[in-house]
Structures are given as structure tokens and as C-alpha cells.
Amino acid sequence: MSARIIDGKAVAARCRAELKARTEELKGEGITPGLAVILVGEDPASQVYVRNKHKACDELGIHSEQYTLPGNTSREELLSLIAELNGREEIDGILVQLPLPGHLDQKEILSAIDPAKDVDAFHPQNVGRIVIGDYFFAPCTPSGILTLIDSTGVDMTGKECVIIGRSNIVGKPMALLALHRNATVTVCHSKTRNLPEVTRRADILISAVGKAGFVTGEMVKPGAVVIDVGMNRNAAGKLCGDVDFESVSPAPVPGGVGPMTITMLLRSTVLSARNRRKKA
Ligand code: NAP
């Protein structure tokens, strides 16, 4: 099945150029947006993500601070760092890289971030605001996906949008954002029956499963927009998405959703700086 490839890197580059201009404007007013990223433990994939975020901030002129804490960091130590960052005026965004080591309660840690600095939108208050459609921060991966879909010129209104995956990070918030765009949304998961029948209805198919080669050509309606969120290693150790590229051709991984996720984080940080400090 032939499909148009969305060039995620090009879309991200365009967004970052706009953000750089906005950052320079803010700097002209004496405001340098600031992001703090906290990494607990030595998960190699998380180390790469955090490094990429730091590099992207540098390229845009956003101030970034990276806190790399040992895997045995206590709840009290982590909460105290978050409290310190909450109180610092020049820090506009705080991101705790997930997953956290098992002895730390993810819900408690994410709830400790000041909602006004919660650039990943995982604080329960921000999650609730997304549910009712009155939100300032949106989670970075789903909002990056929306920007990719917008880049195709496809209007989501009335379209069948099928999402495979129901995680709190991708699937669920994606479903809400698509609903706010007036799509008809179906969320699939491991208990969904007749998955290919459901996915074939999709005008927009978003796969966030985490299994290489999971989505094949016969699961996709001709002409559908396919977004591949998955980040997997294939048998040869090569980075790949969920979608069987040969039979479907969606936004390629790497180069699809990943660069957009980081771009949305930068956008939230710049928006936060403008919102918090211009008000002040
Ligand atoms: P997750 O929490 O593991 O969720 C995976 C989802 O896939 C679950 O809802 C699961 O269903 C569903 N699933 C598993 N097997 C299935 C099957 N056979 N049929 C239908 N659904 C099935 O993962 P996540 O955090 O959402 O991440 C998903 C993927 O996206 C991963 O590869 C991750 O690395 C990647 N990711 C990429 C970015 C990026 O920036 N590019 C950002 C975040 C995540 P159940 O709920 O029933 O178990």
C-alpha cells in the first residue's frame, strides 16, 4: 500500500525555527526560558532522551539544567530537589524523565511538580484540565503528533481516528486531544478484539504499542494518515517503529514523532516563560 511519508524532522525544524525567534524576542525583554530535567538512574534510553533535550535547548538559546541522580535516590531527596526547582523564578519548566526506579512512586513525584511548570502535563491537575478541554500544557508526544497530522493538511473533524495503545503518556491523552479536534476516536489495547477490522476503519491511525512490525499493510485503509509512535529495536538491534515500513510507509522512525516530542517540550517551556514571567 503506498502512502505519503511525513517528514517529521522537517516539520520539527520549522517549528524550532519559529521557537528560536520567540526565544530571542523574550531574551530581548530580559527573559531567558529555563528548563530543568531530572533523570534518576542509568537507563541508557533515558540518558539519550535527556541528552537530546539538553542539546535542543542549547540550539534554541533556552537555559537548561540537567540533574542526574543515582538509581538509589530517596523519595525525600527527589522531592526536595523538585521543591527547590518549583521555587526558582528562572526555571519555567520541570521534567522528570520516566520511567522512575521502582522504589519511587511515580504519581507522588509527578504531583509534586508545580502545575505552572509542568511542561509534560502529567500533574493530575493538568491531566484533568486536558479532560475538560481547558488546558495550558499538553503532553509533548500527543501534541507533537497533532502537529504532524496538521502538517499533512488533513482536517481531523469527523474523521475516524484509531489509536492503538492506552498509556497515560501517549494513548489516553492522544485520544482526548483528537476528541477536542472533533475526530471520532477509538482507543485499542491488548484486549481489543478483531484489531485489524477496527484499524482498517481509520482515516488517521496512531500506533503506540512498542512492538516492531506490529502494524502491517492489511491493517491500514488506503490513503490513511499513519503515525508511528513506537520506538523499538529490531532483531538486528536497529531502531524501528511499530509499523512495517515496507507494507505501510508512515512517518519513519527515527525522524518521525521523536523530534516532535522534544520540539513540543521546547514550545511548552517558551510558553511557560512568557506566561509566568510576563505576568510577574
Ligand atoms: P506502554 O505503556 O507499554 O503501552 C503500550 C500499549 O500498547 C498498551 O496500552 C497495551 O495494551 C498496547 N498493546 C500491547 N500489545 C498489544 C496488542 N497485541 N494489541 C493491541 N494493543 C496492544 O507504552 P507507551 O509508553 O505508550 O509507549 C508506546 C511506544 O511508544 C513505545 O515503543 C515507546 O518507546 C514509544 N514512545 C515514543 C515516544 C516518542 O517521542 N517517539 C514517546 C513516548 C513513547 P494494554 O494497556 O492492554 O496492556
Side-chain angles (χ1 to χ4, degrees), residues 138-210:
C140 299
T141 300
S143 49
I145 293 169
L146 276 192
T147 309
L148 281 179
I149 295 169
D150 288 343
S151 79
T152 66
V154 167
D155 176 4
M156 296 179 79
T157 301
K159 298 281 186 330
E160 292 277 349
C161 176
V162 175
I163 300 158
I164 321 177
R166 57 173 163 179
S167 70
N168 290 338
I169 294 174
V170 188
K172 279 184 209 157
M174 186 68 243
L176 288 163
L177 297 191
L179 202 54
H180 296 320
R181 288 290 195 92
N182 297 316
T184 300
V185 181
T186 306
V187 183
C188 303
H189 45 78
S190 65
K191 309 289 186 290
T192 298
R193 281 181 288 166
N194 304 326
L195 183 67
E197 223 171 80
V198 181
T199 58
R200 272 197 298 271
R201 289 207 307 261
D203 302 305
I204 299 161
L205 177 62
I206 299 168
S207 181
V209 176

Side-chain angles (χ1 to χ4, degrees), residues 76-127:
E76 290 73 18
E77 285 168 317
L78 183 52
L79 289 174
S80 135
L81 172 59
I82 292 172
E84 184 207 319
L85 294 168
N86 281 344
R88 279 179 53 200
E89 181 57 17
E90 72 280 19
I91 295 295
D92 302 291
I94 303 170
L95 181 142
V96 175
Q97 185 67 43
L98 301 178
L100 284 169
H103 68 282
L104 295 167
D105 176 353
Q106 189 169 300
K107 256 191 292 179
E108 181 188 30
I109 300 301
L110 294 178
S111 303
I113 297 172
D114 177 352
K117 297 187 176 187
D118 176 34
V119 278
D120 237 347
F122 293 152
H123 187 290
Q125 190 175 310
N126 287 326
V127 174

